[in-house]
Amino acid sequence: MSEVRFDDRVAVVTGAGGGLGRAHALLLASRGAKVVVNDLGGSRDGDGASSNMADKVVDEIKAAGGEAVANYDGVDTYAGGENIIKTAVDAFGKVDIVIANAGILRDRAFHNLEEADWDKIFAVHVKGSFNVIQPAFRLMRQQNYGRIIVTTSNAGLYGNFGQANYSSAKTALLGLASTLELEGAKYNIKANVIAPVAASRLTEDVMPPAVLEKLRPEFVSPVVAYLCSEECQISGNIFTAGGGYVGRAAIVESKGAVLPDISIEAVRDNIDKISDMTGAEEFTNAFDEVSKRLASATAVS
Ligand code: NAI
């Protein structure tokens, strides 16, 4: 079996000072990638900063014979994102892979959510992905190569009590990857989404220890690494992974119903047909969806 390698590839992993990001960074480095280990080193809810977390992972990579440099910028400012990518270019000359993984939590039931909790979550997860990916994407277009991962969550795919801010932010990343798939296609830039489940400081108090034991981040990183490999030609897809399970999630649309004489009552009377997911389809872009669905309507009217 041929081994998947990342020799001569430069990877940036945000939030790589612990949890999933650390595992992604260690795995890529063990397969030859030169890695920028970014981590702000703050608390679980996004306060504070420290260089310790990123430094520790860089030391681990080096001790195992790999190459890595640390970066301590917050992903939540554009200048931070630019500097993270600059760190890769200064140290290793380019950037081939970006794994936007940094994340925090500020969970509260929706009625108790404060504006600052909404804004901070969006700043780190959504703007933080943009801040790092855009400067890298520009370089990837020039070099005709790139692999990008954004990190969603099952909360972003399906919702979760107490996580209105987080789940909304995580869903936003699906749109980002779908559009990067389209805008990157001509330049051999692939963008995919990972929805992980893993034991980390974000989940240590939401699952029992026996379950956490089975959810080591190392079960997720091979999926991420494959999606970052040169041989991976998949783009715009969502993968779910945890505890040894790997799957694909997708946004699909029902065949629907054509209602030429549409009215509130026609919608009511056809709601089962509209909602029936038998034969539901995936679309690769917004234009295809609109053309196909409207074509079926025009064919009838
Ligand atoms: P973690 O807390 O161990 O890792 C997140 C890292 O991001 C931390 O080391 C933190 O210091 C860093 N970070 C936070 N804000 C930052 C910023 N502004 N700039 C740079 N670094 C920053 O948590 P975990 O679980 O490894 O999370 C990684 C990603 O996976 C997050 O995006 C999280 O939302 C996502 N995720 C995790 C799940 C899980 O089961 N652990 C489930 C679904 C999604």
Side-chain angles (χ1 to χ4, degrees), residues 15 17-21 38-42 53 73-76 101-104 124-125 151-154 166 170 196-203 207:
L20 286 156
N38 156 264
D39 207 290
L40 178 65
M53 292 176 72
D73 284 292
V75 296
D76 48 315
N101 163 82
I104 58 165
V124 173
H125 292 275
T151 308
T152 188
S153 161
N154 46 15
Y166 179 78
K170 287 305 201 185
V197 180
S200 76
R201 70 177 188 173
L202 294 188
T203 51
M207 285 184 264

Side-chain angles (χ1 to χ4, degrees), residues 1 8 10 12 25 30 40 64 83 92-93 95 121 123 167-168 186 200 211-212 231 239 242 271 285 300:
M1 191 172 67
D8 301 321
V10 177
V12 170
S30 75
L40 178 65
N83 202 45
F92 304 126
V95 55
I121 286 291
S167 57
S168 305
K186 206 170 113 187
S200 76
V211 175
L212 290 171
E231 63 193 85
F239 292 90
I271 197 68
N285 61 64
V300 172

Side-chain angles (χ1 to χ4, degrees), residues 170-297:
K170 287 305 201 185
T171 309
L173 298 171
L174 309 182
L176 176 61
S178 295
T179 295
L180 292 184
E181 172 199 359
L182 303 175
E183 296 192 11
K186 206 170 113 187
Y187 306 97
N188 192 14
I189 301 171
K190 316 288 183 199
N192 287 291
V193 184
I194 187 77
V197 180
S200 76
R201 70 177 188 173
L202 294 188
T203 51
E204 64 193 359
D205 55 359
V206 296
M207 285 184 264
V211 175
L212 290 171
E213 183 53 37
K214 297 199 171 90
L215 293 176
R216 285 183 293 115
E218 288 76 10
F219 281 118
V220 175
S221 298
V223 184
V224 170
Y226 170 71
L227 296 171
C228 291
S229 68
E230 189 168 350
E231 63 193 85
C232 175
Q233 295 302 307
I234 296 166
S235 193
N237 282 3
I238 306 162
F239 292 90
T240 60
Y245 164 81
V246 185
R248 185 165 86 84
I251 294 173
V252 297
E253 189 167 322
S254 72
K255 292 277 185 200
V258 177
L259 307 174
D261 300 316
I262 192 158
S263 62
I264 301 173
E265 292 72 25
V267 174
R268 176 195 62 199
D269 296 344
N270 286 279
I271 197 68
D272 288 345
K273 185 167 194 282
I274 292 167
S275 308
D276 182 3
M277 297 309 284
T278 310
E281 286 174 276
E282 273 185 72
F283 294 94
T284 49
N285 61 64
F287 186 74
D288 281 359
E289 186 268 350
V290 172
S291 329
K292 197 158 177 189
R293 289 306 184 233
L294 287 190
S296 67

Side-chain angles (χ1 to χ4, degrees), residues 65-189:
E67 277 188 75
V69 293
N71 170 284
Y72 318 114
D73 284 292
V75 296
D76 48 315
T77 67
Y78 197 75
E82 283 185 311
N83 202 45
I84 293 166
I85 299 308
K86 185 173 180 297
T87 303
V89 174
D90 288 351
F92 304 126
K94 60 173 181 163
V95 55
D96 301 302
I97 296 165
V98 173
I99 302 173
N101 163 82
I104 58 165
L105 285 180
R106 292 205 175 178
D107 293 358
R108 276 165 190 248
F110 184 62
H111 63 282
N112 290 325
L113 202 57
E114 291 186 6
E115 187 183 3
D117 300 323
W118 182 274
D119 289 346
K120 185 69 182 174
I121 286 291
F122 269 72
V124 173
H125 292 275
V126 186
K127 185 85 189 306
S129 297
F130 165 72
N131 291 338
V132 176
I133 292 170
Q134 194 193 45
F137 189 83
R138 289 176 173 154
L139 299 175
M140 288 171 173
R141 282 176 95 243
Q142 288 165 16
Q143 72 190 12
N144 269 300
Y145 186 84
R147 296 289 181 268
I148 295 166
I149 303 292
V150 292
T151 308
T152 188
S153 161
N154 46 15
L157 297 175
Y158 308 116
N160 198 23
F161 197 100
Q163 293 195 313
N165 51 354
Y166 179 78
S167 57
S168 305
K170 287 305 201 185
T171 309
L173 298 171
L174 309 182
L176 176 61
S178 295
T179 295
L180 292 184
E181 172 199 359
L182 303 175
E183 296 192 11
K186 206 170 113 187
Y187 306 97
N188 192 14
I189 301 171

